[in-house]
Each structure stands twice: as C-alpha cells, then as structure tokens.
Amino acid sequence: MTAPGAAAAMMAAVRLHFLGATRTVTGSQYLLETDRARVVIDCGMFQGSPHDVIRNRVPFAYEPTAIDALLLTHAHLDHCGLIPHLVGSGFRKPIYAVGGTVDLTRLVLLDSAKLQEEAAESHQRFAARHPDRAAAEDEATMADLAAATTEDPAAATRNAPPAAITGLRAPLYTVDDANAALALFQSVEYGVEVPVAPGITATFLDAGHILGSAIIRVVVREAQGDRTIVFSGDLGRPDTPIIRDPVTVTSADYLLIESTYGGRTHEPEEEAVRMLGEAVKLTADAKGVLLMPSFAIGRTQEIVYRLNQLLQAGSVPRVPLYLDSPMAQRATDIYRAHADYFDDDARALIARHDAPIDYPGAAVTASAKDSLAIEQAARPLMVVASNGMITGGRIVQHVKALVGDPAMTLLFVGYQGEGTLGARLQQGATSVRIDGQDLEVRCQVRSIDGFSAHADEPELLAWLGNFATKPRTTFIVHGDPAAQAAFEPKVRALASRRRCPPGARRSDLT
Ligand SMILES: [Zn+2]
C-alpha cells in the first residue's frame, strides 16, 4: 500500500484535463495543471442541439478563482463563449490572446451576452404567462442537466451536484459580465514567448483559421524537466484567402489536434469557386434568391472576397448582395484594421487600392426591419446572413420565409454541426419546424465544403507530417465521433510510437 504522501509525489508533475470539444466540435476547454500553476486553454460554449447547449450550465470542473491564466486560441464562440461565465464565477486573472482575437472576441462576447439576456427575459415572460408549463420545462431541463453532468467526460472532477444548480431562467451571463471579462484581456504578438503562470510560458503561432487565430505552444518548466504541449486550436488551410497559412510546428512532447474534418477531403478550391459562381448564375437566370448562411467571422469575409473576385473576373453577372449581419460588418471592420495579419495576395490588392473584402454596392442591413424587407426586394438577389448553422440570428427568419420557395437556393458554405437545423436541411429534410411551425422544404439546397476554415484530413496529416520530433502522445480533439474514428488510424500510422486516445478525460503528462 502506498502512503498518501508517496502517492502525491508519484503523481505526474503536469496534468491535462479535457473539459470540452472531446467527442464533439464545440465547448473547447482544457485545463493544464502543475503543482504550482493552473492554466485554462479556451473556454468555449457548447452549441448545437439542446442536449449540447445544456452542458453550458454544468458547473466548471475547477475552482475559477484558482486559475492563474486563460489562453484563448481564437474568437469563435465555441472557443471563447463561456469566458464571461467564468469571470462571473470568480475568475480575475489575465486572458491572453492575439490582438485581432481580442478585438473580435469583444464583438462576439457582447453579442452573446445580449442574446443571453434577451433569451432569459423571454423565458421569464413565458413563465409568468404559463407557470405550469414553465415549471414542467424547468423540471425537464433539470433532468437534462443532471444527465449532461454525468455524461460529461469531466464530470468526475466536478464538485457541485446538479441539484445545486439554480437560476435556469437567469442569463448564463450578462453584458456586465462580458465587459468585466474583456477588461482582463492582454493582447500578445504572434511568435513571442509570454510567461503566463509560474513555470509556464505560451507562444501564439498563426493558425490560419480566422483573423488572429492561434496555435498555442505551452512550455512547462519544472524540476522534472521541460514539457512542450501544443494546442492546435482550430487549424486553417493553406491558401485560404485574406489570412496567412497555418504556421508549421516541428516538435512537441504532447500535441492536441483538432479533427473536425477527420476522414473527409474538401473539394478543391477551384471547384468550390466554380460552384459558387454557378449558384450565382442560376439565381440570376431564375430571378431567384441565393441565401447563404454564414458565420459572421471569417466565412462571411471569405465569401464576399470570392464573390467580388468572380464579379471582377467577369465570371458572374452582377447580382445585388445583401449583407444581413451587423456582426459580420463589425467583424469586417476589425479585419480591415488588422491588415498586417493579411497574406501577401490580400496585401497586394490593398497596395493596388483594391478592397479585397468588399463587394461593390453591397447593401448592409442594420435593423431587423431592413432585414425582413429583403424578401420583398427586387430579384435576383443574394443574401449572406448569420449564423452559419441556422441555430439563431437573422438567417432563421429568411429560411422560414423562403424555405418553401422553389426559386430560392439555400447554399451552405460552412460546416453544419450534428443536430442543427442547418445539418437537417443539408441532409435533405423534406420539412422543418421553425418557431413551432412545420414548413415544407421546396427550395433548392446545395453545399460547398471547399470554403472550410478548417484543414481537411489530408491537410491535417500534412501539418502533422512536419513534426521532426514525434510527440509522445497526440490527442485527437474537436471532432464528432465518426470523424475522430476515421482520423485516428491515420495518425497512428504516421508514427508507431504515437498514441492518440480520442475523447480522453485526463492525462498525466509524464
Ligand atoms: Zn473556430
């Protein structure tokens, strides 16, 4: 039998906890722990089906006040969305991110907080009108929450029992919480090693995913020796327009790699651009509507870049474009302000006084009223609206109004998470339920996956192939189970010494 003291001494000096984005693509969150420091990497929101979303209410797996620093890979909500909740729960230490990410995260978190407050208000109004139904719903939500708590890979380390969770109708966080979180951000430069906690440094390297996105190389320096842990974050693709290519990493003791597109290969870029052009031409000929659900950050700027390119090249007729996402417009402004992160092609365009992320005469709709008026506008027309998976935002009302219209083409230009309305439509649903109404699907539905901001499997493997020193362990994260299962044997085949447990709960980095 080992004495407790000896057991503690035998414990690994570095422990890594996988708290989200393990068997799914949302809720990214990892805790790196040494005997003298605790650092959280990403603090993302779970998104998608109600089953996923309830996981946001599961208490943090650690004591927020005991964390020394938070490192943020990029501004997408599934990586930063729970930060104000963490701050509302007592976290007060620095949050490190690249400058572009700091600016984009401000946009994302304030928007998210506003949505949280609005949803809570509407839930409370509903509860006041229908107390019995609200009570029954709360009970069902509590049951879901209890299930999520026990199913969650991190449940074993959580302290609070689900029965202790109250305030289901309260917002997860408020605008005040978001502002308090934003005050903790410290902007870092790409490639500069920054001390973030006792014995721990972090270097942010361009991940080529969206503006300001980073791969984070964490070095732990302890008496037992140094360990380098690389978090890929969301890894972009070579030759993505506007932003630079993902930085090549050649060594790590431990590697966490995303696997969103495990087992899948994107269409070649030229094919994706051709399909976009074809959809524009068809819409023009049919005097129809081309509706593109798009993430406000990254994808919208790329789609506008491509549409502008097609138009300038004379490949498509000029069809009026409505940019129906105030958030996307603000994100575009932030992109413009950080042109120093752009790749050579985009900088060359700017040097020639071209505006690479603008479409001539694009109509920007500010109010919800303007948004609804788009459907009455003269056709043909194109709309880019958020959000990308049709789980909320202005796109939902457009889909609701137009899903039964055969002259409408619903064009998916981004990833559709399991269980989302977007995924249902993409998979060929013949009817959908929106706001309690069953609607027949009569529009055309098309998909282009060649515009992904994520590396596909060959690109992930190529990036992994740059490692001259093989990681002791490669952890496959940020992927649905099928993608991880497809990806794992190929990662193993790259080097027999590698182990890659997908969906791990905790790992001792010896
Ligand atoms: Zn992302």
Side-chain angles (χ1 to χ4, degrees):
M1 199 176 142
T2 318
M10 281 163 54
M11 273 176 65
V14 187
R15 297 169 292 280
L16 183 61
H17 301 262
F18 299 80
L19 306 175
T22 51
R23 308 283 289 165
T24 176
V25 295
T26 66
S28 280
Q29 191 182 165
Y30 312 97
L31 168 65
L32 186 70
E33 200 179 15
T34 69
D35 292 340
R36 56 181 176 141
R38 295 175 140 208
V39 173
V40 171
I41 296 89
D42 283 351
C43 189
M45 195 175 259
F46 289 99
Q47 296 173 285
S49 69
H51 174 82
D52 291 321
V53 170
I54 196 68
R55 293 180 67 181
N56 295 316
R57 298 261 173 191
V58 175
F60 288 104
Y62 45 82
E63 175 50 50
T65 54
I67 301 301
D68 297 291
L70 173 62
L71 314 180
L72 178 61
T73 59
H74 67 287
H76 278 149
L77 200 62
D78 61 314
H79 293 258
C80 72
L82 287 188
I83 292 176
H85 184 37
L86 187 68
V87 173
S89 308
F91 174 79
R92 290 289 180 279
K93 294 291 174 57
I95 304 170
Y96 297 96
V98 172
T101 293
V102 176
D103 290 348
L104 288 172
T105 303
R106 180 174 298 117
L107 185 63
V108 168
L109 293 185
L110 289 173
D111 179 72
S112 173
K114 200 167 124 256
L115 290 176
Q116 296 278 337
E117 289 187 356
E118 285 169 3
E121 273 169 32
S122 98
H123 195 107
Q124 277 158 6
R125 278 199 303 274
F126 172 82
R129 283 199 311 273
H130 310 282
D132 293 348
R133 276 168 64 192
E137 272 183 20
D138 285 356
E139 207 171 302
T141 309
M142 284 304 287
D144 287 348
L145 188 53
T149 306
T150 45
E151 274 170 33
D152 187 333
T157 56
R158 297 195 195 283
N159 306 320
I165 300 161
T166 54
L168 279 180
R169 291 177 203 161
L172 197 53
Y173 50 82
T174 62
V175 169
D176 286 348
D177 293 328
N179 278 315
L182 292 165
L184 301 174
F185 272 79
Q186 294 200 10
S187 162
V188 299
E189 300 283 331
Y190 281 126
V192 177
E193 188 171 8
V194 184
V196 296
I200 301 182
T201 65
T203 309
F204 291 67
L205 307 167
D206 202 329
H209 170 64
I210 59 168
L211 188 91
S213 65
I215 300 160
I216 305 181
R217 179 166 59 213
V218 175
V219 178
V220 177
R221 293 188 173 88
E222 288 296 336
Q224 297 89 335
D226 295 358
R227 283 173 207 78
T228 302
I229 303 116
V230 170
F231 297 83
S232 76
D234 285 4
L235 206 55
R237 314 180 59 196
D239 299 328
T240 296
I242 311 167
I243 54 173
R244 294 192 198 118
D245 291 355
V247 165
T248 295
V249 177
T250 55
S251 70
D253 296 311
Y254 298 91
L255 170 67
L256 284 79
I257 181 141
E258 69 122 318
S259 57
T260 313
Y261 280 94
R264 291 163 70 183
T265 304
H266 295 316
E267 289 148 359
E269 185 184 314
E270 318 79 72
E271 176 62 8
V273 174
R274 190 196 64 75
M275 287 172 74
L276 180 64
E278 188 183 273
V280 176
K281 281 185 272 183
L282 274 174
T283 300
D285 292 347
K287 297 205 164 15
V289 176
L290 179 60
L291 183 60
M292 291 168 272
S294 175
F295 290 110
I297 299 174
R299 184 54 32 82
T300 295
Q301 290 75 29
E302 179 177 355
I303 290 299
V304 173
Y305 177 99
R306 302 286 192 185
L307 289 170
N308 182 47
Q309 263 192 331
L310 284 165
L311 184 65
Q312 302 305 337
S315 310
V316 296
R318 183 164 174 161
V319 177
L321 173 64
Y322 291 82
L323 292 169
D324 190 25
S325 166
M327 187 152 129
Q329 280 320 295
R330 290 199 287 273
T332 299
D333 291 341
I334 293 169
Y335 266 67
R336 283 195 199 100
H338 287 282
D340 49 321
Y341 297 149
F342 286 9
D343 63 11
D344 292 344
D345 292 347
R347 283 147 77 114
L349 285 172
I350 293 170
R352 293 207 305 269
H353 305 290
D354 240 340
I357 45 179
D358 291 301
Y359 181 90
V364 176
T365 45
S367 70
K369 194 164 143 269
D370 291 347
S371 168
L372 291 172
I374 293 173
E375 279 126 34
Q376 270 67 55
R379 296 181 177 191
L381 63 93
M382 307 188 285
V383 186
V384 176
S386 302
N387 70 28
M389 300 197 278
I390 325 184
T391 55
R394 291 184 178 178
I395 188 70
V396 178
Q397 295 311 313
H398 292 310
V399 171
K400 190 177 168 187
L402 297 168
V403 75
D405 184 344
M408 194 271 275
T409 299
L410 178 61
L411 180 64
F412 288 106
V413 292
Y415 183 80
Q416 305 300 309
E418 262 181 23
T420 59
L421 180 58
R424 277 185 52 75
L425 282 159
Q426 192 177 41
Q427 286 152 14
T430 52
S431 75
V432 287
R433 196 172 173 83
I434 301 177
D435 293 342
Q437 275 183 49
D438 287 314
L439 304 165
E440 193 185 345
V441 179
R442 298 185 66 218
C443 65
Q444 293 193 54
V445 179
R446 295 179 169 215
S447 297
I448 301 177
D449 75 18
F451 292 140
S452 177
H454 289 268
D456 65 8
E457 186 177 87
E459 288 160 346
L460 287 171
L461 292 171
W463 188 81
L464 283 173
N466 295 317
F467 279 76
T469 314
K470 307 304 177 196
R472 290 185 213 171
T473 307
T474 299
F475 298 96
I476 298 174
V477 297
H478 199 287
D480 288 327
Q484 295 191 338
F487 189 43
E488 184 177 358
K490 290 156 199 162
V491 177
R492 280 183 188 281
L494 268 184
S496 56
R497 285 198 293 129
R498 287 179 201 184
R499 290 186 297 119
C500 37
R505 295 172 184 204
R506 183 189 126 166
S507 188
D508 294 338
L509 310 186
T510 50

